[in-house]
Amino acid sequence: RDRVDVTLPGVPPQPVGSLHLLTQTRREIEDTFMGLGFRVMEGPEVESVYNNFDALNHTPAHPARARTDTFYTAEDAVLRTHTSPMQIRAMQAEEPPLYIVVPGRTYRRDNDATHTPQFHQVEGLAVDSDVTLGDLKGTLLAFARAIFGDERDVRLRPHFFPFTEPSVEVDVSCFKCKDGFLKNGARCNLCKGEGWIEILGAGEVDPNVFDYVREHGYDPEKVQGFAFGMGIERIAFLKHGVADLRLFYENDLRFLEQFG
């Protein structure tokens, strides 16, 4: 009577697991861009300094090159700080036109409520004979409405990134309030009363980047393109109202089971 049959299932039986919230969000983003004509590509997480910085137009003194910001595995190799190096790899492998999105893990020396040393990004790249900033805005508007709802709008703000010119920050209209205020008149805590939420960085591909792959058919006088990059954690963070980014990695079933 005191024996326990350890081969029997638990009581009550544990439910079958589900995809992690970050995996769900990544697949949702991939499906959205595949519907817009992009292909999904993946690349190595240990990347050359050339692909990660040099060919993406980072100056020798750029702060991201510092060992206080980036994990070096050798003098000329790093844990990639973004998925953007696949821009170079993809253009070296294929002639234009090129329409790709690149999801994957990236690494930076950050660790707080809104940053983690390992995180996930999706890089997008479109190159053709006539690709404009208007095409970029239309693409990201379709993305924002697919992820955050049909009523969303996007706006572009001037910014700077080494590998795009012009560069923009992209905001989506807040999906919790109207013009920065809730129905009870209080200021929205999600958009901080702005009515807009920053979601990603983007821009037209800098001609200097095309110069690094000119011999593969990317003459900057003949092709144009746009690129964008977003954090998968940030998209999930905003869409599902997660308070602390570290919750994604703590394996607390009380948190994860909410999204099963």
Side-chain angles (χ1 to χ4, degrees):
R1 284 197 296 270
D2 294 332
R3 290 178 60 189
V4 176
D5 188 345
V6 296
T7 65
L8 291 175
V11 180
Q14 289 295 309
V16 176
S18 61
L19 293 176
H20 192 281
L21 179 58
L22 293 180
T23 303
Q24 295 178 37
T25 304
R26 168 180 167 161
R27 292 188 178 185
E28 189 175 359
I29 294 170
E30 290 175 354
D31 288 346
T32 298
F33 283 108
M34 288 174 66
L36 294 172
F38 289 75
R39 292 183 293 116
V40 177
M41 296 185 71
E42 295 185 349
E45 294 176 19
V46 178
E47 187 57 90
S48 68
V49 169
Y50 177 82
N51 283 343
N52 198 80
F53 294 123
D54 297 335
L56 291 173
N57 205 36
H58 287 69
T59 63
H62 195 282
R65 294 177 180 264
R67 294 180 181 271
T68 53
D69 281 20
T70 297
F71 295 101
Y72 279 77
T73 61
E75 285 299 318
D76 59 350
V78 298
L79 297 182
R80 64 182 179 185
T81 60
H82 43 191
T83 52
S84 302
M86 276 303 294
Q87 287 188 32
I88 304 303
R89 289 179 175 272
M91 289 189 286
Q92 289 174 338
E94 301 179 29
E95 294 183 349
L98 182 66
Y99 294 84
I100 61 169
V101 289
V102 186
R105 293 186 186 91
T106 55
Y107 305 85
R108 296 180 192 174
R109 290 184 181 272
D110 284 320
N111 190 23
D112 56 40
T114 57
H115 300 85
T116 53
Q118 176 217 280
F119 57 103
H120 300 78
Q121 275 193 345
V122 174
E123 173 80 14
L125 176 67
V127 183
D128 213 323
S129 58
D130 185 21
V131 176
T132 69
L133 208 61
D135 298 315
L136 169 63
K137 185 174 182 179
T139 299
L140 296 179
L141 177 61
F143 160 75
R145 289 180 173 174
I147 298 296
F148 298 113
D150 293 338
E151 302 302 315
R152 304 282 64 78
D153 199 0
V154 297
R155 73 174 183 182
L156 310 184
R157 293 180 288 108
H159 198 68
F160 171 77
F161 298 107
F163 36 88
T164 53
E165 180 58 40
S167 303
V168 294
E169 289 278 12
V170 182
D171 301 333
V172 62
S173 56
C174 186
F175 36 86
K176 185 176 180 180
C177 70
K178 182 175 177 59
D179 299 326
F181 295 93
L182 303 175
K183 290 182 179 180
N184 61 6
R187 192 180 76 147
C188 177
N189 63 339
L190 181 60
C191 67
K192 306 298 188 294
E194 295 292 327
W196 296 92
I197 304 169
E198 178 187 328
I199 56 171
L200 57 90
E204 288 282 292
V205 178
D206 193 305
N208 290 339
V209 174
F210 287 139
D211 268 334
Y212 284 97
V213 289
R214 181 189 289 266
E215 68 272 20
H216 299 282
Y218 292 86
D219 185 339
E221 298 295 327
K222 297 180 180 178
V223 297
Q224 295 173 275
F226 64 72
F228 57 86
M230 70 186 77
I232 296 177
E233 282 86 346
R234 179 160 181 78
I235 301 301
F237 182 95
L238 293 170
K239 183 173 182 177
H240 298 282
V242 178
D244 190 323
L245 214 63
R246 290 169 291 196
L247 289 169
F248 290 130
Y249 300 105
E250 292 177 349
N251 292 328
D252 188 333
L253 291 179
R254 295 170 299 177
F255 168 76
L256 296 175
E257 287 176 348
Q258 297 177 61
F259 310 103

